[in-house]
Amino acid sequence: MSTLENILTRIDGRVGVVQINRPKAMNALNGPTMSEIMSALEAFDADPAVGAMVITGDERAFAAGADIKQMATASVVEMMNSPFIGYWDRLRAISKPVIAAVNGWCLGGGNELAMACDMIVAGEGARFGQPEINLGVIPGAGGTQRLTRAVGKTIAMEMILNARQLSAEEALRYGLVNRVVPVERCLGEAVRLAEEIAARAPFAIRIAKEAVNAAFETALAEGVSLERRLFSLLFSTEDQKEGMAAFIEKRKAEWKGK
Ligand code: DAK
């Protein structure tokens, strides 16, 4: 376990875990916290001992949003020049799977952080929302786009225009989260899921993540064509030969990540 000012990190098996650790501020995401989160994820991404990652908070809050106290007096120029949005771009560039384990409040920039991950495991009491309208602003770190893609226009409109919060069960029903588990099992379930994924063929996992993410950036024909190229590319890996040989020989494949 390594302790920085605003996060804790550890490696659990082949899973890198980042825990946001600003309990007095409901894990609000100020610049230093986002900087530490991203540096930790990038270090895990570069570490061959890590196959997948989990970001979590504590039982009261995953994160209650960007730090309102830090941005309350900002000018338009300061916000336009703020490096803050760059942290979400860095998260998009992480090549290994990242799972958010969400208990408690998951609001504003916190929800945008969870949605920028690849999957979300929610604890039963989790509350998801984009309450920026209550502050006289709108989501600014991808919320209007990622939430709409996740839950559809009508629910996204209600959440963003009228600060509607979703319970964990509603988030599951609308497709925002993968599964809902008891609070005390949330992190363990996310790590277990990450561990399962980390045990699979590493290069194929990375390519699969890239292909699914392309669905949000491209037209269908372009996405299908990219998928065909990525699929064919995997036939240059030892893992493809091993995976198919193992099936034919009725044995478990041994992945090399090559
Ligand atoms: N920022 C700063 N401090 C926060 C905070 C936040 N987002 N959320 C909570 N805290 C602090 C509270 O001020 C309080 O501090 P003290 O008063 O004790 O010093 C402490 O955490 C405990 O909070 P409460 O006393 O309020 O606790 P409750 O249980 O009563 O309520 C709550 C919990 C989570 C419902 C409530 O704290 C709350 O409504 N928090 C604000 C939620 C919110 O509005 N979130 C959206 C923030 S705006 C950008 C892109 C995106 C963004 C910013 C920039 N760029 C492109 C540059 C994102 C913006 C946002 O996320």
Side-chain angles (χ1 to χ4, degrees):
M1 171 83 74
S2 144
T3 309
L4 287 138
E5 203 176 324
N6 301 290
I7 64 167
L8 307 171
T9 64
R10 67 170 196 271
I11 296 180
D12 197 343
R14 287 189 33 83
V15 179
V17 180
V18 175
Q19 181 177 357
I20 308 164
N21 186 32
R22 291 189 76 208
K24 287 192 185 131
M26 290 278 174
N27 289 334
L29 301 168
N30 59 9
T33 306
M34 284 305 297
S35 173
E36 288 179 16
I37 292 171
M38 282 319 309
S39 297
L41 292 180
E42 285 165 351
F44 287 145
D45 209 28
D47 183 347
V50 171
M53 302 161 219
V54 170
I55 309 182
T56 195
D58 56 39
E59 290 197 357
R60 283 199 314 163
F62 175 74
D67 194 316
I68 299 167
K69 291 165 190 167
Q70 193 186 41
M71 66 185 157
T73 58
S75 68
V76 59
V77 173
E78 281 165 342
M79 287 318 270
M80 287 299 287
N81 290 339
S82 163
F84 200 64
I85 196 67
Y87 295 119
W88 274 261
D89 294 336
R90 282 166 66 185
L91 182 49
R92 276 177 62 206
I94 297 285
S95 66
K96 294 172 186 169
V98 185
I99 300 175
V102 174
N103 271 319
W105 297 110
C106 187
L107 301 176
N111 196 38
E112 290 169 308
L113 178 63
M115 291 191 296
C117 296
D118 302 309
M119 295 172 226
I120 303 177
V121 174
E124 274 166 352
R127 303 285 302 177
F128 297 84
Q130 298 289 159
E132 289 89 342
I133 202 74
N134 293 335
L135 303 169
V137 292
I138 67 168
T144 59
Q145 305 305 302
R146 289 200 178 91
L147 185 65
T148 306
R149 283 165 165 82
V151 303
K153 175 179 160 182
T154 53
I155 301 297
M157 283 287 188
E158 203 179 340
M159 291 176 73
I160 291 168
L161 275 57
N162 203 28
R164 173 173 170 191
Q165 289 177 2
L166 297 187
S167 67
E169 282 303 333
E170 287 172 319
L172 182 65
R173 192 178 328 138
Y174 298 131
L176 183 60
V177 308
N178 291 71
R179 60 193 68 169
V180 178
V181 297
V183 170
E184 64 282 4
R185 280 189 37 218
C186 181
L187 177 57
E189 179 68 10
V191 170
R192 195 193 59 74
L193 178 58
E195 192 72 69
E196 268 182 32
I197 295 168
R200 299 186 183 280
F203 192 63
I205 288 288
R206 176 179 167 178
I207 294 294
K209 170 170 169 166
E210 183 183 338
V212 173
N213 276 334
F216 297 101
E217 315 275 347
T218 55
L220 181 61
E222 205 184 320
V224 169
S225 154
L226 172 71
E227 180 194 86
R228 194 161 304 160
R229 288 195 300 278
L230 292 174
F231 174 77
S232 303
L233 174 73
L234 288 168
F235 284 74
S236 65
T237 64
E238 289 182 28
D239 281 348
Q240 174 270 325
K241 304 287 176 262
E242 164 65 7
M244 295 192 181
F247 173 80
I248 293 164
E249 293 160 18
K250 299 188 187 298
R251 62 176 173 82
K252 198 170 181 296
E254 285 183 30
W255 307 119
K256 294 196 180 125
K258 289 198 250 175

